[in-house]
């Protein structure tokens, strides 16, 4: 690793989200002592040069031509750097060869994947080889699932401090959120549905909250599919579109930590509406609505700078004990979840991978980086973690 020329490569830097990640490095770390040596990678050298100039990156920023259909180019890229950040999805279409290249090279990898079927495939295929090579393969390093994965980590650390044991029941509740899903997220869901049509057994795997914990099946979990009144918040709650991936990642984090939060952990996520009949009507309407609205976004497209900067999110976590005692924590982000905040989270995951050590394997951000990533996100990426009571 010491002989590698680069610290971080952003693969997919000409796409919408990849460009935001590159822009973040170009401006946030410009002139700083801790600035990494980073490069932009993609299929077209001309397009990379154009984006580099458009975002105001240094003209000396290295540009790397690499393509998912050319494994040799991915091997060369993976061998040249300590960390690869990839925004090139859907990952089930374009991710296989890059994961394999990073595993072979012992290179750390982070993506924005919300495709649990593909993630399980990669776990089964590469876990042993990644452990052997030292490659730290880290999935879901954007809005799905960092605020939720690290939110539960943060809550449980305080729960253990206060009560000497983790909370066996944790609720994730989206209090407020402004900003839609990305074109890449929509495309990923479309590809997952196509994969299920070809392989119906995949539907059973995806239905399980323990799809990413091979060999372990925990207790029955709430489906999160039906609007319900939540006494803990005093509001009606509606299904949350990201819950199917976030809940799986939270249980994988717990699994990778040797069930530090207990083998009986029950965790779900819902969106808070309001009180009374109005809250009930709102929750029922949300449950029936298309979660992606009328979005026509394609991969590589996204909202304006103003829309990204006006976006935000606020997530409440409630830990409950059998004796009725509770603990509450929250995670807030200062940009729209799908792009503005996600790009900063992926970039800081790359920095955390660069600055921390850990065993090879297929990881979640929470299990691998934990408090170190919380510190980076708080210091640099506009996230706030706090205990509320």
């Amino acid at each position: 690793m010491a002989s590698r020329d680069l610290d971080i490569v952003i693969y997919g830097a000409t796409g919408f989200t990849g460009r935001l990640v590159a822009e973040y490095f170009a401006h946030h770390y410009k002139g700083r002592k801790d600035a990494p040596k980073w490069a932009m990678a993609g299929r077209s050298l001309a397009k990379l040069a154009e984006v580099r100039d458009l975002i105001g990156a240094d003209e000396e920023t290295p540009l790397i031509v690499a393509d998912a259909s050319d494994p040799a180019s991915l091997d060369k890229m993976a061998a040249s750097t300590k960390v690869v950040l990839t925004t090139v999805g859907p990952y089930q279409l374009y991710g296989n060869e890059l994961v394999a290249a990073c595993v072979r090279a012992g290179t750390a990898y982070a993506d924005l994947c919300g495709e649990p079927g593909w993630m399980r495939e990669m776990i089964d295929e590469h876990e042993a080889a990644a452990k052997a090579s030292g490659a730290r393969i880290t999935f879901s390093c954007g809005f799905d699932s960092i605020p939720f994965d690290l939110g539960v980590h943060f809550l449980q650390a305080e729960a253990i401090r206060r009560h000497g044991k983790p909370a066996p029941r944790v609720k994730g509740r989206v209090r407020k959120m402004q900003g839609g899903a990305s074109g890449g997220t929509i495309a990923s869901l479309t590809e997952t549905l196509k994969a299920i049509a070809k392989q119906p057994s995949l539907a059973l795997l995806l239905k399980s909250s323990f799809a990413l914990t091979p060999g372990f099946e925990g207790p029955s979990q709430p489906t999160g599919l039906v609007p319900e009144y939540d006494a803990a918040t005093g509001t009606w709650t509606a299904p949350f579109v990201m819950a199917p991936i976030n809940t799986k990642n939270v249980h994988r984090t717990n699994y990778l930590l040797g069930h530090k939060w207990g083998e009986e952990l029950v965790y779900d996520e819902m969106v808070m509406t309001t009180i009374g009949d109005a809250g009930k009507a709102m929750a029922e309407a949300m449950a029936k609505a298309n979660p992606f609205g009328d979005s026509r976004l394609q991969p590589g497209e996204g909202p304006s700078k103003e829309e990204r900067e006006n976006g935000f999110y606020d997530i409440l976590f409630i830990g409950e004990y059998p004796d009725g005692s509770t603990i509450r924590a929250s995670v807030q982000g200062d940009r729209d979840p799908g792009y503005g905040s996600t790009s900063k989270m992926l970039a800081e995951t790359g920095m955390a991978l660069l600055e921390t050590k850990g065993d090879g394997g297929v990881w979640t951000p929470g299990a691998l980086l934990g408090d170190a990533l919380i510190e980076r996100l708080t210091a640099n990426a506009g996230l706030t973690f706090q205990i509320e009571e």
Side-chain angles (χ1 to χ4, degrees):
M1 288 285 268
S3 64
R4 302 188 186 212
D5 295 332
L6 298 167
D7 292 321
I8 294 173
V9 169
I10 304 157
Y11 177 60
T14 57
F16 193 90
T17 308
R19 175 176 163 173
L20 292 177
V21 177
E23 193 171 21
Y24 178 81
F25 278 114
H27 295 279
H28 187 78
Y29 282 98
K30 187 172 186 177
R32 282 176 47 162
K33 287 183 180 177
D34 60 343
K37 187 166 184 189
W38 62 279
M40 299 165 61
R43 288 179 296 179
S44 162
L45 189 62
K47 190 78 187 288
L48 286 166
E50 180 187 344
V51 170
R52 177 195 60 198
D53 296 342
L54 280 170
I55 65 174
D58 192 304
E59 62 181 16
E60 302 301 315
T61 303
L63 307 177
I64 299 169
V65 176
D67 190 338
S69 64
D70 179 6
S73 71
L74 299 179
D75 278 326
K76 187 176 178 184
M77 178 178 74
S80 72
T81 186
K82 296 170 185 173
V83 179
V84 171
L85 304 180
T86 173
T87 60
V88 182
Y91 295 94
Q92 56 201 291
L93 295 184
Y94 306 114
N96 290 18
E97 294 299 337
L98 181 56
V99 171
C102 287
V103 169
R104 282 192 291 271
T107 300
Y109 162 108
D111 68 17
L112 301 173
C113 188
E115 304 163 46
W118 179 77
M119 290 159 64
R120 175 57 186 267
E121 204 179 300
M122 294 298 99
I123 291 166
D124 292 344
E125 193 171 327
H126 295 295
E127 181 84 71
K131 284 180 176 176
S133 74
R136 293 169 294 161
I137 306 299
T138 319
F139 296 132
S140 306
C141 302
F143 185 64
D144 46 334
S145 296
I146 277 178
F148 305 90
D149 187 19
L150 290 179
V152 176
H153 168 95
F154 181 74
L155 174 89
Q156 292 287 31
E158 182 65 17
I160 291 166
R161 272 195 292 272
R162 287 191 188 183
H163 300 285
K165 57 187 176 183
R169 172 74 173 105
V170 178
K171 296 177 175 180
R173 297 291 181 261
V174 180
R175 275 194 295 215
K176 295 176 184 174
M177 185 168 74
Q178 183 166 306
S182 71
T185 297
I186 296 166
S188 293
L189 181 62
T190 302
E191 290 305 321
T192 295
L193 294 173
K194 286 182 189 173
I196 291 170
K198 290 181 195 168
Q199 188 185 342
S201 61
L202 191 59
L204 284 174
L205 178 73
L206 296 181
K207 195 175 174 185
S208 170
S209 295
F210 300 95
L212 304 181
T213 60
F216 175 79
E217 188 77 26
S220 177
Q221 304 286 311
T223 67
L225 299 176
V226 181
E228 61 181 44
Y229 178 75
D230 185 358
T233 61
T235 65
W236 279 83
T237 58
F240 177 47
V241 66
M242 310 312 300
I245 177 62
N246 294 336
T247 53
K248 292 173 178 59
N249 275 321
V250 166
H251 284 295
R252 178 159 178 82
T253 293
N254 189 29
Y255 167 87
L256 291 170
L257 293 174
H259 292 108
K260 186 176 180 179
W261 308 330
E263 292 192 0
E264 297 302 309
L265 176 68
V266 175
Y267 175 70
D268 74 327
E269 294 173 0
M270 303 283 280
V271 179
M272 292 166 58
T273 60
T274 187
I275 60 173
D277 291 342
K280 183 178 182 183
M282 198 184 299
E284 288 174 347
M286 288 171 70
K288 292 173 186 169
N290 174 357
F292 298 116
D294 297 322
S295 178
R296 296 286 181 269
L297 285 175
Q298 299 297 314
E301 298 175 352
S304 68
K305 185 172 188 283
E306 184 182 12
E307 288 171 321
R308 295 195 305 272
E309 290 182 353
N310 288 335
F312 59 86
Y313 52 89
D314 175 12
I315 307 152
L316 172 68
F317 296 90
I318 306 167
E320 300 179 341
Y321 288 88
D323 66 2
S325 58
T326 63
I327 181 169
R328 295 180 181 227
S330 62
V331 178
Q332 286 99 22
D334 70 345
R335 293 288 185 272
D336 78 299
Y339 297 94
S341 190
T342 278
S343 57
K344 294 194 288 185
M345 284 188 272
L346 181 62
E348 289 301 331
T349 299
M351 291 297 292
L353 285 167
L354 198 59
E355 294 179 355
T356 61
K357 293 180 179 176
D359 294 335
V362 181
W363 290 95
T364 60
L368 179 63
L369 301 169
D371 291 338
L373 184 52
I374 288 176
E375 286 174 23
R376 292 210 67 88
L377 295 172
T378 302
N380 299 289
L383 271 72
T384 305
F385 292 76
Q386 56 190 10
I387 298 298
E388 298 207 341
E389 64 173 45

